[in-house]
Structures are given as structure tokens and as C-alpha cells.
């Protein structure tokens, strides 16, 4: 396992801004995340100091180069899950590696992917879950469905096998985008991957089955949502971070309720703009530097 001072998840304006501060302060800094599609896709008219409309891609590239110049190590690697260790450090698990850090900055933007299940909300807390490490235990021996098409869903399904052998993945009509390695491990564990779409949930006292668009029904007492890549809400569930809906709650210094975890940018849900993401990233970077220094003094 690799060790760094500060792990930043997200390579958008918030994550890159945080890294400029942390790396420049001499903290070993790893950013995980690929170039953001959203901020890269449009022209920006309202960013301070840029008179001409400039492409988002260019701003991100400049931020990347600046963070790299100060020593930040940027890897295009998706984070599948995070956990806190007994010593109070944090471990990020990606598709390729595990990295331990003394402080964690979440800068993952907002997830715009929804599973499109009509009555999902009616079963939240009654079988529908967003966190295997929180709720997998309650599904011991029971049939469960994971909805999702990528490596995140595959990883969640494999984690569930600690609790139950009865796991099925539904991609919600999307093409399977799991790596060969994950597909191999799913086959080894007898986890079917269906390309059907769960349209409705059913059950009188909590979830007991899911109904596919085709009319087919599957027994399921648990349904775990894992569409696209893991989002800040997924990490928040696992780490026990206070949230307001899908957004992470922080104080004015971008500290969450868990010491050592900071959040910045769209995932905090204030004013969803690049200027705000950059400012919050700077604050999160400063707070994370303070946290690492305090831990060094304490050890
Ligand atoms: P993002 O830019 O969304 O970056 C999130 C990062 O997290 C990405 O690198 C992503 O790959 C990474 N990530 C997510 N999950 C994972 C994971 N599991 N593992 C690893 N990495 C992960 N703002 C303006 O100021 N001006 C505008 O003109 C403007 N126009 C907009 C137009 C559109 C169509 C949209 C959708 C937004 C617009 N915005 C605009 C808003 C702006 O894009 C956001 O406020 C800004 O990008 C937020 O930055 P962020 O760093 O918080 O998140």
C-alpha cells in the first residue's frame, strides 16, 4: 500500500485548487480522478480574470499543470471505496491500488446519474441502500440486487458476498462497462449480470422483490444503488459524514464532522460554480495541511 499525506478525490476545479495549496506546502499529495467531463465541456464566461470565453478544458489543464509543478501526483484512477483505519488515517481503494493518507479531501462534484426506479424513495431504509459496508450485514443470506453497470457496481456486489451468496447485478439497461478482471471475479463468485432494467420495487413490509421492465420479477430483500462511479454520497455513507440530501455538510473551513475529512466544490452543494469550487478547494487544502501537522505533532 502506498502512503501519502493528503489524498484528494476529484480532479476538477475544487480538487486541483486544494492540491495547489497542499503540494506547495510540502505535503505529499495524490489526486485520484480523471479530467472532469462537466467542467471540461463548456466555455466559461464568468471566471475571474478571463475576459474572453475560454474552454473549460483549458482551465482544467492549467490547474493540472500548476498542481503538478508544485509536486502533486495526479492519477486518472477511479476510487471504488474509502475507509478509515484504526489509527485515524484513510484508505482509498481504486481499480488499481490502495492508498493510505493522513487527510482526505472529497472533491467529487455531483453525481447526475439516477437509477430511474419509480418508487425507489418509498423503500429507502426498507431495503434500498447506498452503502454495502453500512447495510450489507443486514442482508445475511438474503437475495439482493445491485444496480449499476461499472466497476463500482461489481466491487459492491463482490463485497456483498461476505454476507450473502445470493447477489445479482442489473445494469439498468446500460452496456456493461466492467473490466475483464471484475467480470472474471463476478463469474467466479456466481454473480449474474443482467442488462435488464429494474422499474419498480415491491413488498408490503419492506422490499421483497424487484420488477423488471420486461415484467420479470426477482426476489430481493436488498437493493444497492451503485450506478456510474462512486460518488461523494457513497463515500459519505461509508465514513459516516453528515449530509444534507446528496450534499456533504461542512463548516466554513470545509471540515466535515469526521476529523481529517474535508469536502469542497459541488459535492458540498452551496453555489455550484467554478469560482466557489476553487475557493472551497483552497480552504479544504489549508484545513487538511493543519490536520496533518497536528497528527505529526501528536505522534
Ligand atoms: P467537478 O468539476 O464535477 O469535478 C469532479 C471530479 O471528481 C472529476 O474529476 C471526476 O472525475 C472526479 N470523481 C468523481 N467521482 C470519482 C471517483 N469515484 N473516483 C475518482 N474521481 C472521481 N460554472 C461556472 O463557474 N461557469 C460556467 O459557465 C458554468 N457552466 C456550466 C455548464 C454546465 C452544463 C454544467 C453542468 C455546469 C456548469 N458550471 C459552471 C458548474 C461547474 O462546472 C461546477 O461548479 C464545477 O465544475 C465544480 O467543480 P468540482 O471540482 O466541485 O467538481
Amino acid at each position: 500500500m502506498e502512503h501519502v499525506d493528503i489524498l484528494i478525490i476529484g480532479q476538477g476545479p475544487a480538487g486541483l485548487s486544494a492540491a495547489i495549496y497542499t503540494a506547495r506546502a510540502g505535503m505529499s499529495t495524490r489526486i485520484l480522478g480523471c479530467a472532469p467531463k462537466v467542467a471540461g465541456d463548456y466555455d466559461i464566461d464568468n471566471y475571474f480574470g478571463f475576459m474572453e470565453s475560454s474552454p473549460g478544458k483549458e482551465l482544467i489543464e492549467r490547474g493540472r499543470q500548476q498542481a503538478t509543478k508544485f509536486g502533486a501526483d495526479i492519477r486518472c484512477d477511479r476510487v471504488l471505496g474509502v475507509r478509515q483505519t484504526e489509527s485515524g488515517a484513510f484508505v482509498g481503494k481504486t481499480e488499481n491500488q490502495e492508498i493510505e493518507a493522513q487527510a482526505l479531501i472529497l472533491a467529487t462534484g455531483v453525481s447526475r446519474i439516477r437509477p430511474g426506479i419509480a418508487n425507489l424513495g418509498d423503500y429507502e431504509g426498507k431495503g434500498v441502500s447506498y452503502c454495502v459496508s453500512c447495510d450489507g450485514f443486514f442482508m445475511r443470506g438474503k437475495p439482493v440486487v445491485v444496480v449499476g453497470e461499472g466497476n463500482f457496481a461489481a466491487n459492491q456486489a463482490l463485497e456483498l458476498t461476505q454476507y450473502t451468496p445470493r447477489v445479482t447485478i442489473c445494469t439498468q439497461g446500460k452496456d456493461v462497462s466492467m473490466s475483464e478482471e471484475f467480470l472474471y471475479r463476478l463469474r467466479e463468485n456466481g454473480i449474474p449480470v443482467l442488462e435488464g432494467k429494474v422499474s419498480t420495487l415491491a413488498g408490503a413490509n419492506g422490499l421483497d422483490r424487484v420488477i423488471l421492465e420486461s415484467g420479470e420479477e426477482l426476489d430481493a430483500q436488498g437493493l444497492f444503488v451503485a450506478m456510474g462511479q462512486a460518488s461523494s454520497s457513497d463515500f459519505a455513507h461509508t465514513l459516516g459524514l453528515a449530509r444534507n440530501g446528496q450534499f456533504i455538510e461542512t463548516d466554513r473551513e470545509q471540515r466535515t464532522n469526521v476529523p481529517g475529512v474535508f469536502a469542497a466544490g459541488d459535492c458540498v452543494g452551496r453555489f455550484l460554480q467554478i469560482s466557489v469550487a476553487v475557493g472551497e478547494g483552497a480552504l479544504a487544502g489549508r484545513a487538511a495541511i493543519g490536520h496533518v501537522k497536528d497528527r505529526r505533532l501528536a505522534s
Side-chain angles (χ1 to χ4, degrees):
M1 173 144 37
E2 285 186 77
H3 300 266
V4 294
D5 291 323
I6 296 173
L7 176 61
I8 299 172
I9 309 180
Q11 203 214 120
L16 290 168
S17 170
I20 289 167
Y21 281 82
T22 58
R24 195 158 178 269
M27 298 277 152
S28 58
T29 300
R30 172 71 52 86
I31 302 186
L32 296 172
C34 303
K37 209 171 156 2
V38 172
D41 268 359
Y42 51 83
D43 287 343
I44 299 157
D45 282 327
N46 56 359
Y47 191 65
F48 174 83
F50 283 73
M51 290 282 284
E52 311 293 330
S53 248
S54 57
K57 274 194 181 70
E58 190 183 307
L59 188 66
I60 295 296
E61 186 49 35
R62 281 167 174 256
R64 267 180 65 87
Q65 287 181 15
Q66 197 176 359
T68 308
K69 182 180 96 175
F70 292 125
D73 184 347
I74 305 178
R75 310 265 176 104
C76 177
D77 204 356
R78 291 194 176 82
V79 179
L80 301 172
V82 288
R83 65 173 196 275
Q84 188 165 21
T85 68
E86 277 177 14
S87 70
F90 301 92
V91 175
K93 178 185 175 192
T94 78
E95 294 170 353
N96 302 305
Q97 59 184 322
E98 288 202 324
I99 299 161
E100 188 182 72
Q102 301 306 308
L104 175 67
I105 298 177
L106 300 177
T108 49
V110 276
S111 169
R112 292 175 170 80
I113 308 173
R114 301 277 181 277
I117 300 171
N119 57 348
L120 189 78
D122 296 345
Y123 288 88
E124 278 171 358
K126 295 177 186 166
V128 169
S129 170
Y130 298 84
C131 176
V132 169
S133 43
C134 319
D135 299 326
F137 177 80
F138 302 111
M139 295 295 149
R140 279 163 299 161
K142 296 177 181 169
V144 297
V145 167
V146 175
V147 288
E149 75 291 6
N151 287 348
F152 175 43
N155 190 58
Q156 294 290 86
L158 289 164
E159 247 189 66
L160 274 164
T161 59
Q162 294 169 43
Y163 309 103
T164 174
R166 303 166 72 190
V167 184
T168 302
I169 295 179
C170 270
T171 68
Q172 290 305 83
K174 292 183 181 289
D175 292 338
V176 174
S177 60
M178 297 159 189
S179 65
E180 277 308 316
E181 190 195 329
F182 270 114
L183 286 169
Y184 172 78
R185 288 174 59 201
L186 292 174
R187 277 194 299 274
E188 288 279 284
N189 282 275
I191 299 174
V193 180
L194 312 180
E195 289 197 357
K197 187 173 184 309
V198 175
S199 59
T200 323
L201 308 182
N205 299 309
L207 183 69
D208 63 27
R209 62 196 194 285
V210 302
I211 302 164
L212 306 191
E213 224 167 44
S214 62
E216 189 189 346
E217 297 195 4
L218 301 176
D219 285 344
Q221 282 171 267
L223 180 121
F224 289 82
V225 180
M227 303 291 296
Q229 59 184 337
S231 68
S232 51
S233 316
D234 298 307
F235 303 139
H237 275 291
T238 320
L239 294 169
L241 306 185
R243 287 175 307 131
N244 179 2
Q246 66 166 319
F247 299 118
I248 298 174
E249 285 189 356
T250 68
D251 66 9
R252 288 162 61 97
E253 302 293 316
Q254 305 306 127
R255 285 185 289 242
T256 70
N257 59 313
V258 173
V261 183
F262 309 87
D266 282 8
C267 67
V268 172
R270 290 187 186 124
F271 183 29
L272 309 189
Q273 288 285 285
I274 293 172
S275 51
V276 175
V278 166
E280 290 180 354
L283 285 168
R286 184 178 68 167
I289 293 166
H291 179 80
V292 174
K293 285 186 175 165
D294 287 348
R295 276 177 68 87
R296 282 183 190 157
L297 283 175
S299 66

